[in-house]
Every structure is written in C-alpha cells, then in structure tokens.
Amino acid sequence: MKKIRNFCIIAHIDHGKSTLADRLLEFTETVSGKDLQAQVLDSMDLERERGITIKSHAIQMNYKYEGEEYILNLIDTPGHVDFSYEVSRSIAACEGALLIVDATQGIQAQTISNLYMAIEHDLEIIPIMNKMDVDSAMPEEVEDQIVELLGCKPEEIIRASGKTGMGINEILEAIVKRVPAPVGDPNAPLQALIFDSVFNSFRGIIAYFKIVNGTINKGDLVKFVATEKEYNADELGVLQLDMVPQETLSAGNVGYIISGIKTSKEVKVGDTITHVKRPCDKAISGFEEVKPMVFAGVYPIDAEDFEDLRTSLEKLQLNDASLTFEPESSVALGFGFRCGFLGMLHMEIIQERLDREFDMNVITTVPNVSYIVHTKKGEVMEVHNPAGLPDIMAIDVIEEPYIRASIITATDYIGQIMTLCLGKRGELVKQDYVSGNRVELIYDMPLGEIVFDFYDRLKSISKGYASFDYHMNGFRPSKLVKLDILLNGESVDALSSLIHFDNAVSLGRRMCEKLKELIPRQQFDIAIQAAIGSKIIARETIKALRKDVTAKCYGGDVSRKRKLLEKQKKGKKRMKQIGSVEVPQKAFLAVLKLD
C-alpha cells in the first residue's frame, strides 16, 4: 500500500487538464505508439468533437522513482460547472489533487469551487501552472494569485506545459513525495466504494471501485450493501488503457468488478461492496444524493419507442449518475419521461448521447426548475412541471430556488455584467478584487432565470473572459405566474411555463410571434394566444389558406360574390371544428432559443 498514490486533476474549463494527463501517461509509458493521441482519456466521440471532458476517467500508471516501483492511479475530471458531480465523486476516491491553473488566464471560478471541494475532503493539493510555453503567459501574476488562494510557498508551485512536456517529471516526483499513501487495513473486512459504472452489452454492468479496507479475490461471493444483492466476482482488475484482469486486489487500489449484473437498478454509485461471509460493520459514507437543477420532458418521436427510451435512459444513468427520470404523459406529446439535469449543457449532452449511443430520436420540452408550492389549506408540494400546478385560486405562495453565483471577470466588463445580472433579478452580495484588474462578483439569483441563456450571454459580454460557478442557496417566495399557450382555445401543455410576473407579458408576446412563423398554415384560421389564468395577454392569427372562389364572377350583382364567400366561410368553420393543429418539433426547440 505504501507504493500506491491515488490522485485526481481539477481545473477550470480549458486549462489543459486532459493534455497534461496525456503527457503523464506518455512519460510513464502507460500509453505508447499508435494509442498515443490527443485527449487519450476522452473516450467519447462527443468529448473529442467539443474538446470538453464529460466523464471522469480512471487509469493506472507505473512509475519508477529512486529505484522503487510506484502505482499511480490518475482520475481526470471535467471542468464545466454542469459536471461538478463527476468531480465530487473523483475527489472521494483520492488522497491528492493536482490543481491546474492556466498561466495565461489565472484563477477562475470553477478552480476555486473545485479547490474548496478538495480541501473539504482533506486532499493534498499540488498547485501547477500550465501553458508556460505560451507567449501570453503571466507567471508572476498567476503565482501571486495561487499563493494568495492556497497560502502555499511560491517554490511549491510547479511550472509546466502539457504541450511541450515541461515540468512533467517534477509533477510525477511531487505526486510520489507529497500525496499520502492510502490508509486502510488489507486484513479487515472488505469495504469498497463504487464511484462509477458502465454498461457493456456483452459483459453486463461493470462497476469501478476503490478499496478502503480489506482484500478481494477473484471468485469471491460479494454483497452490495445498499441493494443487498449478492454476486460472484467473475473478474477483477485494474484500469489501464484497457481493463487488465488481476487475481486479487487489496486496500488502497482502484479497480473494476464484473459479476454478470444485468439490470441497471442493482448498481448505485456511492454504494459499498463487502464480503457475504465476513461483512463490514457499516457502509462507507458515500456521496451526497445528486440534486438536479433543471427539469425537462423527454418524449420519443414515435409513441411505440417509449420502452426503448426507458431502457436507453437506464443505461445512460449507469454511466451518468446525475441524470434522474420518472415517467409522465402530455396531451400534446403522449408518453415520455420527466428528466432532471444539472444544467443546460448537461441536457444537451444527454440528448446527443441518446441519439448517438442508442439511436433514440427525442423531443425535449421547455426546461424549467422545481418550485415549492404552499396551498391555502397549508399543504406543501414540490412541482417540476407547470402542468402539475394546482388551481391558481388555491395557491397561497410559490417559492423558487435561488443560487449563490460567483463570477470572476476583468474590471473592464463589470458594468455590463452587473446590468445582465440585475436584468435576471440578481442581488449583489459582495464584490472582491481578486488581484490587479480582476474582480469576483457574488450574486444571489433565481435559478429559473439563469437556466436558459445566462451563461452564453455572460461569455459574449465579457468576450469569453468571465468565469461562472454556482451552488444552491435555498428557496424564496416569489411572484410567479403560469403562462399558457393556446392554439384555437386549447392549451398546449408542452409549451406552458412558470415565469416571474414582470416578464410574463413580453415572453408571451414573443412566443406567439415565434409560433406564428413556425406553425404551417392550415385550411382554417389558427388563433395563437398567450394566457395567464383566464386573461389573454397576447394574440397572433395564422390566416387560412384560401382559394379565390369569386374568380368566376365577372361583373353582375355583388350578392352573387357574397353568396360564394358565405358558402366558403361556412366550410372553413366546419373544418375548424374537426381540424387539429400539429405543432412541429422546430417550434418546441425555437421556444428554448427565444433570446
């Protein structure tokens, strides 16, 4: 055990984690020859295309230092705030963390929040300044920022470059010297923490775990504590570029177990594995349950694909424990699922993965957040969907979720960013100067306001320089109304949304205008209305397609023309009674991108 080091890499988006991980793998000769490519650990096509890490990946390296062999278990983590749950799981399986800061950009919001997470778990932090080979690097300034944040000595900061390989040997030495070996007793009863799992169509479910105490051998009968199911350990092993089977694994190791589990409900991330004959006293206190922030309905385009969609979501949930879903139905879209996501990027990625990995074509409804509704009878209910809102007369007060947002930016953009936050009903909590010309703004804001386009607008205002991070900060009463969209007097439940009273009228008007462009013309007039309760606040009409029935009348009495027009009018009226309006999928998507 003294030769094992478990560590993860944490940083803000685009600070060069994956590139640095590539160099570590290259220097320890874990990956060589044809396997050596950029972003070795980003195994999904989606990650490579977008250049972001979505999943945290574990890999084992062997490193020789002063004549002794060390085993280094590296976990590369995502940098985007929507995937911070992945980071929290990786941190729970490690004793040390490499904190990477881009020498050209300095400390960003996500760097700070990931650092606090690591400090809470008592990890040994090794600060690294990356991208030192770039001409625009500001090593002195960034060094001062790191010293101020961590309280470390300037000489403890390693200067490195993931591109050229500068400083990589120093990093490997620092991991061996500074990261503590895992503590645990190989002879105690088995306690292993599951921190991830994947579905393999040939082998069933593969769980990744870290052994805290005890030893596990191939063929042992083991029990998963939370689900109380028992299995034989058909295969154990460590995670290198491929899975490498082993006969036995003991305390401190990170590895995988295959035991022929078929159903995804039987493996829970954060669960404990122990022996059936000699169980441990208590489960490891795993991770906190994940709380989704954004909810949206996901519906199959063909109703008969409902069961396939359920299976696909279950398999995805194995690999991404922060996805939650439950069945629901909608008048407009049929049967589907109400899914919970950590943010808009997460929702987009899930939609894309459903399409690529499972060939599922889905419609997603307008995303919203969860609200707490207090009725006049004193009942309290949680509402994820505007359709589930009780009658407006029965509601006493609606509370909406608030977040504490931290925005770090250059002083040049403060004015515009403050205007943006105030427009989203933000309240300034405090303003700190981090260093020189960089400032941290802390705001309390309603989560519902930032769900849509806040992040994109923040990036465009600050020319990409502002960084943003947030965490939940309780619920507050708010003046919210339910905005319904009616087509010919019938409400389309998939388009209704809960919105603050001040913004309802303008949003209703914009939605009506947008739908008028997108809904194809029919043989009858279509009235598109936005309503709050029974009060109509906006209306657009899509005119009917009509044939010129008076073309054959030339001259003569006007009553002949009128007779023909009246006849046509009656026909249109009859059509309107039996005709239904199809809302194209484009319309659901366009409402998301109104701004």
Side-chain angles (χ1 to χ4, degrees):
M1 270 180 72
K2 292 195 171 67
K3 300 288 189 314
I4 299 175
R5 300 285 182 273
N6 299 320
F7 68 99
C8 60
I9 301 186
I10 53 179
H12 189 73
I13 313 160
D14 277 345
H15 280 203
K17 301 177 291 303
S18 301
T19 317
L20 204 75
D22 290 352
R23 289 297 81 74
L24 291 171
L25 296 176
E26 191 184 348
F27 269 66
T28 54
E29 293 175 7
T30 309
V31 178
S32 57
K34 66 178 194 314
D35 293 330
L36 196 64
Q37 50 176 346
Q39 294 170 271
V40 177
L41 295 178
D42 291 351
S43 47
M44 256 184 265
D45 294 344
L46 204 56
E47 295 181 308
R48 294 182 168 283
E49 279 166 32
R50 293 186 174 223
I52 56 175
T53 305
I54 294 168
K55 289 286 303 163
S56 48
H57 295 271
I59 190 162
Q60 190 179 87
M61 308 181 282
N62 294 331
Y63 176 61
K64 228 183 175 124
Y65 178 66
E66 293 182 349
E68 302 217 10
E69 282 278 342
Y70 286 89
I71 293 174
L72 310 182
N73 289 314
L74 152 74
I75 303 182
D76 178 29
T77 63
H80 197 283
V81 59
D82 277 13
F83 304 115
S84 49
Y85 183 62
E86 289 282 327
V87 182
S88 73
R89 296 182 352 201
S90 310
I91 285 176
C94 292
E95 283 84 36
L98 304 184
L99 180 77
I100 294 181
V101 180
D102 186 334
T104 61
Q105 293 183 28
I107 283 176
Q108 303 285 349
Q110 193 64 22
T111 318
I112 295 176
S113 79
N114 283 342
L115 173 70
Y116 288 156
M117 216 188 291
I119 290 173
E120 272 172 34
H121 281 81
D122 291 339
L123 298 199
E124 177 65 36
I125 313 283
I126 301 176
I128 296 168
M129 256 196 295
N130 196 17
K131 303 194 187 178
M132 288 296 294
D133 57 317
V134 182
D135 297 338
S136 57
M138 323 170 285
E140 280 71 31
E141 283 180 39
V142 177
E143 192 169 86
D144 293 345
Q145 290 174 18
I146 297 175
V147 168
E148 199 176 315
L149 180 69
L150 273 177
C152 61
K153 299 188 180 84
E155 56 270 19
E156 286 177 19
I157 301 168
I158 300 172
R159 299 187 175 201
S161 160
K163 208 171 212 167
T164 61
M166 158 190 173
I168 299 295
N169 276 327
E170 292 170 37
I171 294 174
L172 289 165
E173 279 178 28
I175 292 166
V176 170
K177 284 183 180 164
R178 282 151 69 174
V179 175
V183 287
D185 179 2
N187 302 318
L190 176 69
Q191 261 188 327
L193 176 73
I194 299 178
F195 64 88
D196 205 354
S197 54
V198 289
F199 180 80
N200 181 314
S201 41
F202 301 107
R203 320 270 331 243
I205 289 156
I206 304 171
Y208 298 162
F209 60 81
K210 179 199 174 183
I211 303 179
V212 179
N213 286 313
T215 305
I216 182 169
N217 298 308
K218 188 177 170 179
D220 281 356
L221 186 63
V222 293
K223 180 170 86 170
F224 287 30
V225 176
T227 53
E228 297 195 337
K229 296 267 200 258
E230 298 179 3
Y231 307 100
N232 281 317
D234 301 336
E235 186 183 307
L236 300 173
V238 293
L239 299 153
Q240 290 187 356
L241 198 55
D242 299 315
M243 296 192 276
V244 182
Q246 304 276 342
E247 286 299 313
T248 175
L249 287 174
S250 63
N253 263 308
V254 172
Y256 70 91
I257 178 170
I258 299 177
S259 45
I261 305 170
K262 294 287 184 289
T263 51
S264 47
K265 289 193 178 67
E266 294 177 20
V267 176
K268 281 197 171 61
V269 167
D271 194 359
T272 304
I273 306 176
T274 187
H275 280 127
V276 174
K277 287 184 180 155
R278 192 177 159 215
C280 55
D281 306 335
K282 62 180 195 311
I284 305 166
S285 54
F287 319 104
E288 68 282 3
E289 277 289 307
V290 60
K291 292 214 166 36
M293 306 280 187
V294 176
F295 295 86
V298 173
Y299 293 86
I301 285 179
D302 291 330
E304 53 261 29
D305 291 344
F306 176 73
E307 280 305 322
D308 294 348
L309 180 60
R310 183 199 295 271
T311 320
S312 308
L313 283 169
E314 279 176 0
K315 288 177 185 168
L316 252 186
Q317 195 177 33
L318 267 182
N319 195 239
D320 183 349
S322 49
L323 169 70
T324 58
F325 62 91
E326 55 189 47
E328 71 161 6
S329 63
S330 142
V331 182
L333 299 170
F335 288 105
F337 293 93
R338 185 103 199 131
C339 297
F341 308 99
L342 295 182
M344 290 297 276
L345 178 71
H346 187 210
M347 172 173 144
E348 209 177 300
I349 296 288
I350 293 285
Q351 224 175 327
E352 189 94 345
R353 284 182 72 182
L354 280 172
D355 184 27
R356 290 189 185 201
E357 295 171 29
F358 304 100
D359 209 16
M360 291 298 313
N361 222 340
V362 294
I363 295 179
T364 314
T365 63
V366 184
N368 53 19
V369 296
S370 57
Y371 297 92
I372 292 177
V373 178
H374 296 266
T375 61
K376 288 184 175 161
K377 287 182 183 168
E379 296 165 345
V380 178
M381 53 202 286
E382 198 173 289
V383 175
H384 299 317
N385 188 347
L389 210 61
D391 184 55
I392 196 131
M393 301 309 288
I395 295 174
D396 183 26
V397 68
I398 302 179
E399 293 186 354
E400 64 175 337
Y402 263 69
I403 57 161
R404 175 65 56 93
S406 145
I407 300 167
I408 296 183
T409 177
T411 42
D412 315 358
Y413 309 115
I414 287 185
Q416 292 160 293
I417 288 175
M418 283 184 157
T419 312
L420 172 69
C421 294
L422 289 171
K424 298 279 186 191
R425 299 190 284 131
E427 299 162 15
L428 182 65
V429 179
K430 67 175 182 188
Q431 175 177 341
D432 286 335
Y433 283 85
V434 184
S435 69
N437 68 335
R438 289 155 53 93
V439 66
E440 180 179 25
L441 301 169
I442 305 234
Y443 269 93
D444 277 348
M445 296 166 80
L447 180 63
E449 292 280 346
I450 67 151
V451 160
F452 286 108
D453 58 343
F454 179 80
Y455 194 64
D456 299 342
R457 282 174 64 185
L458 179 71
K459 282 289 181 203
S460 54
I461 283 174
S462 64
K463 302 189 173 56
Y465 278 109
S467 63
F468 171 68
D469 183 64
Y470 63 85
H471 56 266
M472 287 300 288
N473 195 22
F475 283 76
R476 296 189 194 178
S478 190
K479 195 175 180 188
L480 298 165
V481 290
K482 183 181 170 193
L483 180 70
D484 284 315
I485 298 292
L486 313 173
L487 293 180
N488 280 345
E490 287 197 11
S491 165
V492 182
D493 58 353
L495 289 174
S496 49
S497 54
L498 262 177
I499 187 159
H500 195 262
F501 181 75
D502 299 346
N503 309 340
V505 177
S506 66
L507 181 77
R509 198 165 289 143
R510 292 209 312 272
M511 276 171 99
C512 289
E513 286 164 7
K514 194 78 187 171
L515 288 171
K516 184 181 179 181
E517 292 167 26
L518 292 168
I519 293 177
R521 289 173 72 183
Q522 310 276 352
Q523 290 288 343
F524 49 91
D525 282 5
I526 302 172
I528 304 172
Q529 294 165 310
I532 296 174
S534 54
K535 183 182 171 194
I536 304 291
I537 54 171
R539 169 177 175 137
E540 293 286 338
T541 308
I542 301 176
K543 283 296 180 197
L545 292 164
R546 10 199 329 192
K547 183 178 163 189
D548 187 358
V549 286
T550 59
K552 60 188 177 197
C553 303
Y554 45 95
D557 190 357
V558 73
S559 61
R560 292 180 56 200
K561 284 188 179 176
R562 194 161 290 146
K563 180 182 159 196
L564 288 168
L565 286 167
E566 281 297 322
K567 190 175 166 190
Q568 185 187 29
K569 193 171 165 187
K570 270 189 190 146
K572 295 282 181 207
K573 197 171 175 186
R574 238 196 346 268
M575 241 176 213
K576 186 171 179 175
Q577 285 168 355
I578 57 165
S580 65
V581 186
E582 283 288 307
V583 183
Q585 192 186 346
K586 282 206 303 266
F588 292 112
L589 298 176
V591 174
L592 309 188
K593 300 186 171 70
L594 265 181
D595 292 316

